[in-house]
Amino acid sequence: MDVLDFLIHGFAVALQPQHLLLAMIGCTIGTLIGALPGLGPVNGVALLIPLAFNFGLEPTAALILLVSVYYGCMYGGRISSIVLNIPGDEPAMMTTLDGYPMAQAGRGGEALGLSAVASFVGAIIATIGLTLFAPLLVKVAIRFGPAEYFALFVLAFATIGGVTSGSFTKSFIAAALGLLLGTVGIDPVSSVDRYTFGWYELYDGIDYIVALVGLFAVSECLLFLERDRDTATASLKVGSAMPGMRRSLSCAPTIGRGSIIGFISGVLPGAGASLGSFLAYVLEKRWWGTRGRFGSGDPRGVAAPEAGNNAAAGGALIPMLSLGIPGSGTTAILLALLLSMNITPGPLLFEQQPDMVWGLVAALFIGNLMLLVLNIPLVGLFAKVLQAPAWFLMPMVTLVAFVGIFSLNNSAFDLYMMLGFGVLGYLLRKLDIPTVPVVLGLLLGGQMEFNLRRAMSISGGDWSILWSSGISIGIYAFAVSLLLAGLAYALVIKKRLE
């Protein structure tokens, strides 16, 4: 049987009434979870795994339910990013940069409609790639060792100045602060605790979700308390979603580029949707240069990261299914689910469990169509949140943040950490230092250090291993070119201002 025959057989599995119902339930629940600030696909999938076991779902049905939740969360994360300037999860951070300014300009419905289409296209492209090009992409991913991964993260930080429209220097200061925070916890090699100050809660490092909610949600509430309460968001006008649908045609090249970048990032184990969203946004901003209005409400600044993070979500399934290596935190949870059901992902999975694998692939196509149909009619409902008075909305956001963070580990320490990061975010924003690079440094710093230490262990301390392969050299050359281009651009802007 060829790929088309397998896919047809997969649709026969996915179109069974039980599987269709589970896909719809998963998409709906996932969208709601993704829209809640501080939650995300990792928590959404983790919360529903006990439900899958309690209902006695067989592996195919359980995987369809949880992957539908996964995709739904990736869709839903954009809602609070655009409406409240609070990302629903890490990959949705980049959407806040242009999505929220569009909402402030009365184009919230347009931003939500455009993001829904970009998410759909990115996810569909990733699913097609999963179907047709998985063997080739897996071979490329296998070539990446610790040194190549380190070079990839260097590339990410070399382009950190392109994330925001503010000062190039302040962006790097914020990224350095994030890297510093990323060293908190147990040393990955020597197992010595670092900067924990005797608190056992910090042995596993700083929880990304806690930091994210504090830096965005709590700091936003603190800034609101400082502002005049009479200037509520009720004055913002909500636009129609139809312009966003039409705008998606003009943004088609952006969506295509973001999807490809995100998919490649997702296929690389450990890179994930955060890096895919980040690179899609930065490279698109570099592509347009001064012709764009990135950071102040450019639709392409919404389309690129949304296509990137949803494509990365699909790409992350390739190493999980083909190699048994999770490509992201969520696929690690899915891997744990399969292992608990005595199913071992790997090269033999496609031969031993064809119904499950191809049924899942077909369910991804169906689930993405469900999500598009579900999200477009509800765009107006989501956008109506913008009309709620700030004095009502902000306490609700604070309540959701506190309840969501406490429910993660039932820990009061997490609440104190969230408040601490809220104060930090407030101070950074008062000093006009962007908070997005702080979170990116915290997210990517741990993996960057881990791969550096692994490379050093393999080479016996020889630093030349970091640039010993053609892949590493190519990535470093690209990073240097982008860094020099960013510095040159900053100098040109400075001279113009003078």
Side-chain angles (χ1 to χ4, degrees):
M1 295 177 68
D2 56 17
V3 171
L4 182 59
D5 293 331
F6 279 121
L7 188 59
I8 292 173
H9 178 70
F11 272 104
V13 175
L15 289 173
Q16 295 177 13
Q18 179 195 14
H19 294 161
L20 285 175
L21 178 61
L22 289 172
M24 177 59 74
I25 293 173
C27 290
T28 304
I29 294 177
T31 302
L32 293 174
I33 292 176
L36 295 175
L39 297 179
V42 174
N43 297 308
V45 173
L47 290 172
L48 288 182
I49 281 182
L51 185 65
F53 280 103
N54 289 337
F55 281 93
L57 298 179
E58 45 92 17
T60 302
L63 204 56
I64 288 175
L65 171 65
L66 296 178
V67 171
S68 298
V69 172
Y70 179 24
Y71 269 41
C73 287
M74 301 306 296
Y75 270 72
R78 78 195 197 282
I79 298 170
S80 56
S81 298
I82 294 171
V83 174
L84 302 176
N85 197 30
I86 302 171
D89 56 3
E90 297 98 329
M93 281 188 305
M94 311 311 298
T95 309
T96 64
L97 301 181
D98 286 277
Y100 187 63
M102 287 182 68
Q104 288 180 308
R107 299 162 61 195
E110 177 185 343
L112 287 168
L114 174 61
S115 65
V117 175
S119 298
F120 172 77
V121 174
I124 286 294
I125 289 177
T127 307
I128 292 174
L130 173 62
T131 306
L132 299 178
F133 306 114
L136 176 62
L137 291 171
V138 167
K139 289 180 182 179
V140 173
I142 289 175
R143 294 179 179 271
F144 276 71
E148 287 75 18
Y149 277 117
F150 177 78
L152 187 66
F153 287 118
V154 170
L155 170 63
F157 285 106
T159 58
I160 198 75
V163 176
T164 63
S165 299
S167 168
F168 196 77
T169 304
K170 288 183 177 180
S171 295
F172 273 97
I173 291 174
L177 176 59
L179 286 172
L180 177 63
L181 293 172
T183 61
V184 175
I186 298 295
D187 185 288
V189 176
S190 65
S191 299
V192 175
D193 60 297
R194 303 179 300 187
Y195 311 115
T196 60
F197 304 103
W199 292 335
Y200 295 106
E201 293 87 350
L202 290 177
Y203 276 23
D204 290 331
I206 296 174
D207 192 307
Y208 305 143
I209 301 298
V210 173
L212 184 67
V213 174
L215 286 171
F216 284 90
V218 177
S219 66
E220 186 73 24
C221 293
L222 292 175
L223 288 172
F224 166 72
L225 291 175
E226 186 182 58
R227 294 193 297 262
D228 184 4
R229 249 71 88 209
D230 293 334
T231 58
T233 56
S235 60
L236 296 176
K237 295 181 179 179
V238 179
S240 169
M242 292 311 297
M245 301 291 290
R246 292 191 294 268
R247 176 76 68 174
S248 63
L249 296 177
S250 63
C251 292
T254 296
I255 295 174
R257 287 189 291 267
S259 299
I260 294 172
I261 293 170
F263 183 46
I264 294 173
S265 298
V267 170
L268 299 175
S274 298
L275 184 62
S277 173
F278 168 67
L279 290 178
Y281 182 90
V282 171
L283 294 179
E284 192 65 25
K285 184 178 179 180
R286 298 290 190 196
W287 177 276
W288 289 99
T290 57
R291 295 174 294 165
R293 296 174 50 252
F294 288 83
S296 57
D298 194 314
R300 291 165 296 202
V302 174
E306 283 302 306
N309 68 43
N310 282 272
L317 291 171
I318 290 180
M320 191 272 285
L321 292 173
S322 302
L323 301 175
I325 301 173
S328 65
T330 310
T331 53
I333 296 176
L334 294 174
L335 176 63
L337 169 70
L338 291 177
L339 292 175
S340 65
M341 292 183 168
N342 296 320
I343 296 175
T344 304
L348 297 179
L349 181 66
F350 286 77
E351 296 181 9
Q352 297 174 348
Q353 300 283 346
D355 287 356
M356 186 190 73
V357 173
W358 293 103
L360 173 63
V361 172
L364 292 177
F365 284 106
I366 296 171
N368 278 306
L369 184 59
M370 286 181 177
L371 283 166
L372 182 66
V373 174
L374 177 68
N375 277 263
I376 293 301
L378 294 179
V379 160
L381 176 62
F382 295 138
K384 289 292 184 182
V385 178
L386 285 169
Q387 295 179 329
W391 57 262
F392 172 78
L393 191 58
M394 283 304 168
M396 294 299 295
V397 171
T398 306
L399 177 63
V400 170
F402 272 81
V403 173
I405 292 300
F406 185 76
S407 65
L408 293 179
N409 300 306
N410 294 326
S411 171
F413 181 83
D414 288 347
L415 296 179
Y416 295 133
M417 285 290 294
M418 180 187 69
L419 291 173
F421 273 100
V423 173
L424 174 63
Y426 169 79
L427 295 175
L428 291 176
R429 293 170 74 171
K430 294 296 289 184
L431 295 172
D432 199 27
I433 296 177
T435 55
V436 172
V438 177
V439 180
L440 289 173
L442 180 61
L443 284 173
L444 305 181
Q447 283 294 321
M448 186 177 185
E449 180 193 8
F450 178 69
N451 283 287
L452 174 62
R453 302 288 288 271
R454 284 183 61 199
M456 291 294 97
S457 298
I458 292 172
S459 66
D462 185 0
W463 288 89
S464 64
I465 190 176
L466 298 179
W467 52 83
S468 61
S469 69
I471 296 176
S472 297
I473 294 174
I475 294 175
Y476 287 131
F478 187 43
V480 171
S481 64
L482 287 179
L483 184 60
L484 293 177
L487 290 173
Y489 175 72
L491 291 175
V492 169
I493 295 298
K494 184 177 180 180
K495 288 183 179 180
R496 288 181 180 179
L497 293 175
E498 293 175 354

